[in-house]
Amino acid sequence: MMRVIGAGLPRTGTASMKAALERLGFGPCYHMFEILTHPDHVDRWLPAASGAALDWDRVMAGYRSCQDWPAGFFWKELADAYPQAKVILTVRDPHRWYASFRWLISRAGFPRMEPAQAPEGIRAALEAMRRLTPLLDRLGRETFGPDWRMGEEPAKAPAVEGFRRHVARVRATVPADRLLVFDVREG
């Protein structure tokens, strides 16, 4: 049963929060890392690429918390499905977030190598990310605007504005007694 839902965007300390939640007994925690290490999980998410509703008990089976995309994009749906779960919104300075996010998207996150050309040890992860791209494109367009394309360097102004809209929406939607806003500068 989901106990903690991460609503922060990628690059807001979600990996550190995953580690903390697991150390505190709220694990396992679902993070994008799960797709990289369990490529078959892509099939759990793909219906959402076209806007289909997901069976959250199936998608989150075996996990007690979640952070990062794709789960973090669906924070509202997860909060509705698991009304007893708490929500953690990880935040950071929007301009510093942009620099980190831009690096992830344009350089580190999506190498230009085709899975078949990759070393055998990373082929499955690359193939999983390739298959997940339609969903990640949807998440990016809905968060940052219609010009978003996964793997391309995002423009700063729409990305920062999307970040701010996202934070404002979570704060306005989740009741204060259910929400923890955590700035990564707090350590």
Tab-separated table of all heavy atoms in Angstrom, residues 91-93 182-187:
chain	number	residue	atom	x	y	z
A	91	VAL	N	11.473	20.542	-3.712
A	91	VAL	CA	11.662	21.758	-4.499
A	91	VAL	C	13.109	22.214	-4.401
A	91	VAL	O	13.867	21.746	-3.554
A	91	VAL	CB	10.724	22.895	-4.029
A	91	VAL	CG1	9.257	22.513	-4.211
A	91	VAL	CG2	10.996	23.272	-2.578
A	92	ARG	N	13.475	23.134	-5.265
A	92	ARG	CA	14.776	23.781	-5.216
A	92	ARG	C	14.674	25.085	-6.003
A	92	ARG	O	13.639	25.348	-6.622
A	92	ARG	CB	15.882	22.870	-5.741
A	92	ARG	CG	15.782	22.549	-7.219
A	92	ARG	CD	16.743	21.505	-7.698
A	92	ARG	NE	18.113	21.957	-7.686
A	92	ARG	CZ	19.119	21.296	-8.249
A	92	ARG	NH1	18.888	20.149	-8.859
A	92	ARG	NH2	20.333	21.748	-8.203
A	93	ASP	N	15.719	25.873	-5.976
A	93	ASP	CA	15.724	27.106	-6.744
A	93	ASP	C	15.419	26.763	-8.209
A	93	ASP	O	16.093	25.903	-8.792
A	93	ASP	CB	17.091	27.781	-6.636
A	93	ASP	CG	17.190	28.981	-7.552
A	93	ASP	OD1	16.723	30.058	-7.154
A	93	ASP	OD2	17.716	28.815	-8.682
A	182	PHE	N	9.639	20.072	0.849
A	182	PHE	CA	11.024	19.903	1.272
A	182	PHE	C	11.951	20.517	0.246
A	182	PHE	O	11.994	20.082	-0.903
A	182	PHE	CB	11.356	18.421	1.458
A	182	PHE	CG	12.766	18.195	1.910
A	182	PHE	CD1	13.147	18.437	3.205
A	182	PHE	CD2	13.721	17.742	1.011
A	182	PHE	CE1	14.457	18.245	3.626
A	182	PHE	CE2	15.032	17.534	1.402
A	182	PHE	CZ	15.404	17.793	2.721
A	183	ASP	N	12.681	21.550	0.665
A	183	ASP	CA	13.680	22.198	-0.177
A	183	ASP	C	14.996	21.468	0.034
A	183	ASP	O	15.450	21.317	1.162
A	183	ASP	CB	13.811	23.666	0.193
A	183	ASP	CG	14.658	24.445	-0.791
A	183	ASP	OD1	15.709	23.925	-1.244
A	183	ASP	OD2	14.301	25.596	-1.087
A	184	VAL	N	15.622	21.044	-1.045
A	184	VAL	CA	16.845	20.252	-0.934
A	184	VAL	C	17.965	21.014	-0.228
A	184	VAL	O	18.905	20.405	0.274
A	184	VAL	CB	17.329	19.727	-2.306
A	184	VAL	CG1	16.294	18.779	-2.882
A	184	VAL	CG2	17.618	20.856	-3.271
A	185	ARG	N	17.886	22.348	-0.167
A	185	ARG	CA	18.892	23.116	0.562
A	185	ARG	C	18.860	22.835	2.065
A	185	ARG	O	19.791	23.137	2.785
A	185	ARG	CB	18.703	24.619	0.318
A	185	ARG	CG	19.005	25.031	-1.111
A	185	ARG	CD	18.716	26.492	-1.304
A	185	ARG	NE	17.277	26.692	-1.179
A	185	ARG	CZ	16.638	27.819	-1.486
A	185	ARG	NH1	17.308	28.843	-1.927
A	185	ARG	NH2	15.344	27.913	-1.366
A	186	GLU	N	17.751	22.239	2.523
A	186	GLU	CA	17.624	21.921	3.942
A	186	GLU	C	18.491	20.728	4.348
A	186	GLU	O	18.621	20.441	5.526
A	186	GLU	CB	16.156	21.647	4.293
A	186	GLU	CG	15.274	22.875	4.141
A	186	GLU	CD	13.807	22.559	4.357
A	186	GLU	OE1	13.487	21.604	5.097
A	186	GLU	OE2	12.971	23.265	3.782
A	187	GLY	N	19.014	20.018	3.364
A	187	GLY	CA	19.899	18.889	3.653
A	187	GLY	C	19.196	17.619	3.975
A	187	GLY	O	18.019	17.489	3.960
